[in-house]
Amino acid sequence: MATVRDTTYELLRALGMTTVFGNPGSTEEPFLHAFPDDFQYVHALHEASAIGIADGYAQATGRPAHVNLHTAPGTGNAMGNIVTAWHNRTPLIVTAGQQTRQMLLLEPRLTARRPTELPQPYVKWAHEPVRAQDVPAALMRAYATAIQPPAGPVFLSLPLDDWAQPADPPPQVRTVATRFAPDPDRLRQFAAALTTARSPVVVLGAAVDRAGAWEAAVALAERLVAPVWSAPAPERTAFPEDHPYFQGVLPFAAGPLAERLHGHDLVLVVGAPVFRYYPHVPGDTVPDGARLLHITDDPDEAARAPVGDSLLGDAGLTLAALADLMPPVDRPAPTARPGPPPADDSLPLSADALFAALARHWPSDGVLVQESPSNLSALRRRLRLRRPGSYFTMASGGLGYGLPAAVGIALAQRDTGQHRPVVAVIGDGSFHYSVQALWTAAQLRLPLVVVVPVNQQYAILKAFAELKHTPGVPGLDLPGIDISAVARGYGCATTVVDSPDQLGEALDVALRADGPTVLPVPIRTDIPPLL
Ligand SMILES: Cc1ncc(C[n+]2csc(CCOP(=O)(O)OP(=O)(O)O)c2C)c(N)n1
């Protein structure tokens, strides 16, 4: 007779989820026992890494991923990256073990108390089945919930004695849509407003890349003859950054952002919140008198916007439908932004010179994973990404995502046969939040390159303190860390890079290696301004 465990594995197979990311404990062993040969277990040494690796894998494969966590403490450890997965809109089915049902009343060791409350409010659904027999159907529902827009993590708490119970007949394997089209009447109103605008501007966010809609974005921008900006602090890139219409990334503060849009009477935002700010700088959301139109697949994101009119719809479907409705217009072509000046290569390297060298040696199909807070604008100014699916970072502001995400993205490159080279740029502070992900990369022999700009400080926090006039904050310096020794300890190759030429050579070797390489680069310690 089939057990709950048998039926669940069958369902996971049918849903194409034969990779399990996790860190095991006793509450998970009854699920994991006799782990089937056609499944892959991706072992992370800490739950933050398990979630981050799964998130990167899900985004790079375009499919949901399953993470299996240890009861309450494991879920707690995972929480930072669950917050990030929520903001990233990554469909993750997170399962966690729970103590034996028969003992729960007395709350033995490893009981998850109020397990469905623990991951709130950063999951779309959290559930502990009432009966063991409901586990497979709950998984089906979790899957359908995670992947529908806006996608995100879901959570199931699963008592360890459920797996051996006799199963009910298996639940039907269901499918649900992952995108929806915009209301045609409202779409026509948006198209009319764009047609009659004197000077429209387009702001694109990560949902455009998630929807595979770069071409539709280019088609609309060219139809409109409008400049294109990246939304502030995007977790993915949405437009070819060598396109003459592309203007760069908007600043993440209200006043300065509105200033960049000065002179436009209509701002079309697609696939991003309005707007993702960081420091509070008083100012308008958009230039005085300008109208904002917002396209998003998330009703909550539409409701939160402080100004403008919104239209719900998948970014790709909506961009394509809008372009079809736009008559040719006669507007002067936007002015192309100037290229960056030559870098100053004197030593120690500036972050700018490091990234200029990285851009010179960048593999044309490379994927960049970024968690280098104070040097982000230098990196984005130098390295212009030209292909879809080429840039990943966290939408949340929580450190400890980039390194494991890069491992998951590199694994996805191998599993999908795309074999795009993956290079992560991770600050020497950020490096430590999920550092053990390096071990998983080494065990899986992934040719991942991790460039670590070493400034021995939390530079962005110093910049924030300067902006806010709050001197004397402790805990902002990071002396005495040997990044190479840490990397070696987890099984990575490592070379300290001091000059632009060395970076080219080291990158070349690392991209051809059959394992991860960490490249610490000592950089200058001056503090880039926050804005
Ligand atoms: C989980 C988490 N803890 C703390 C912070 C606060 N924080 C933001 S940036 C930062 C420092 C990052 O340092 P580093 O990676 O060296 O980059 P740098 O600012 O020096 O470029 C810290 C600690 C955070 N964002 N997330």
Side-chain angles (χ1 to χ4, degrees):
M1 175 185 249
T3 61
V4 166
R5 183 182 167 285
D6 299 332
T7 305
T8 302
Y9 273 100
E10 269 314 306
L11 179 64
L12 287 169
R13 270 187 198 99
L15 295 173
M17 289 206 296
T18 53
T19 298
V20 182
F21 301 85
N23 184 267
S26 21
T27 48
E28 293 68 58
E29 286 184 328
F31 165 61
L32 295 169
H33 91 266
F35 195 66
D37 287 345
D38 59 329
F39 277 62
Q40 159 175 236
Y41 187 79
V42 177
H43 181 185
L45 297 179
H46 183 278
E47 291 81 358
S49 281
I51 297 280
I53 295 170
D55 184 319
Y57 191 83
Q59 291 200 56
T61 56
R63 300 186 41 80
H66 174 200
V67 194
N68 185 238
L69 301 176
H70 188 46
T71 176
T75 306
N77 280 349
M79 205 55 219
N81 274 338
I82 292 177
V83 171
T84 289
W86 164 268
H87 288 288
N88 282 359
R89 280 46 189 321
T90 303
L92 291 185
I93 291 99
V94 180
T95 55
Q98 167 66 301
Q99 253 295 10
T100 313
R101 284 184 193 268
Q102 275 163 302
M103 296 200 292
L104 280 178
L105 187 61
L106 64 91
E107 293 191 15
R109 184 184 174 108
L110 301 185
T111 298
R113 299 185 69 216
R114 306 209 297 256
T116 59
E117 290 175 36
L118 187 57
Q120 300 287 6
Y122 291 102
V123 289
K124 292 178 71 181
W125 186 55
H127 184 70
E128 185 172 270
V130 173
R131 306 179 307 143
Q133 285 70 23
D134 292 332
V135 169
L139 186 73
M140 185 65 243
R141 177 169 166 186
Y143 178 93
T145 305
I147 65 174
Q148 290 189 82
V154 296
F155 180 82
L156 290 178
S157 165
L158 303 173
L160 69 89
D161 50 329
D162 283 5
W163 300 107
Q165 300 300 317
D168 278 357
Q172 197 181 82
V173 180
R174 303 176 53 240
T175 64
V176 292
T178 54
R179 52 185 203 160
F180 59 89
D183 166 9
D185 287 341
R186 202 161 167 85
L187 187 74
R188 270 192 292 277
Q189 291 164 15
F190 271 41
L194 285 164
T195 309
T196 53
R198 175 182 46 77
S199 175
V201 58
V202 180
V203 177
L204 299 175
V208 174
D209 197 41
R210 283 194 288 268
W214 277 44
E215 270 180 39
V218 171
L220 180 71
E222 291 181 351
R223 227 355 130 79
L224 275 174
V225 199
V228 175
W229 286 90
S230 162
E235 66 274 30
R236 297 186 39 169
T237 52
F239 199 78
E241 296 180 354
D242 58 344
H243 192 289
Y245 290 10
F246 187 68
Q247 306 295 314
V249 183
L250 286 169
F252 45 26
L257 189 158
E259 250 167 59
R260 298 297 155 89
L261 303 179
H262 181 75
H264 294 290
D265 62 339
L266 195 152
V267 182
L268 174 69
V269 181
V270 185
V274 177
F275 284 108
R276 182 175 291 145
Y277 298 137
Y278 171 34
H280 175 61
V281 178
D284 292 330
T285 311
V286 289
D288 196 25
R291 182 175 178 200
L292 186 137
L293 300 179
H294 186 200
I295 292 166
T296 170
D297 64 5
D298 178 358
D300 193 48
E301 188 168 272
R304 280 201 317 268
V307 299
D309 303 304
S310 75
L311 170 58
L312 285 176
D314 171 76
L317 292 176
T318 311
L319 282 166
L322 263 183
D324 281 349
L325 287 173
M326 296 297 309
V329 289
D330 188 20
R331 290 195 185 102
T335 317
R337 65 174 171 158
D344 164 10
D345 280 350
S346 59
L347 302 182
L349 281 179
S350 63
D352 183 64
L354 164 63
F355 300 140
L358 187 65
R360 281 198 298 279
H361 298 286
W362 189 252
S364 61
D365 56 348
V367 178
L368 172 68
V369 185
Q370 180 280 123
E371 196 169 292
S372 178
S374 74
N375 299 313
L376 173 58
S377 18
L379 176 58
R380 302 285 276 115
R381 199 168 48 235
R382 288 288 173 189
L383 191 61
R384 300 194 169 177
L385 298 161
R386 296 183 287 253
R387 288 181 50 169
S390 297
Y391 178 76
F392 298 88
T393 188
M394 40 65 180
S396 60
L399 301 181
Y401 171 76
L403 193 53
V407 176
I409 292 164
L411 179 61
Q413 295 307 324
R414 180 195 288 170
D415 285 359
T416 59
Q418 293 183 66
H419 298 294
R420 293 180 63 181
V422 181
V423 179
V425 177
I426 310 286
D428 60 338
S430 303
F431 186 72
H432 299 283
Y433 290 78
S434 303
V435 66
Q436 67 294 119
L438 289 175
W439 177 82
T440 305
Q443 293 299 310
L444 293 171
R445 305 179 85 83
L446 295 170
L448 169 68
V449 187
V450 183
V451 177
V452 183
V454 179
N455 59 9
Q456 301 198 347
Q457 58 186 338
Y458 292 157
I460 196 168
L461 299 187
K462 293 187 178 177
F464 194 88
E466 251 168 52
L467 184 87
K468 290 285 165 192
H469 310 292
T470 55
V473 177
L476 301 184
D477 289 304
L478 300 174
I481 302 176
D482 185 341
I483 300 270
S484 291
V486 173
R488 222 173 285 120
Y490 283 116
C492 299
T494 176
T495 314
V496 175
V497 166
D498 291 305
S499 71
D501 289 346
Q502 259 181 314
L503 180 77
E505 285 160 34
L507 204 60
D508 197 40
V509 173
L511 288 171
R512 284 184 285 110
D514 72 339
T517 307
V518 175
L519 302 175
V521 189
I523 58 163
R524 285 182 214 166
T525 54
D526 39 308
I527 308 297
L530 196 62
L531 290 166

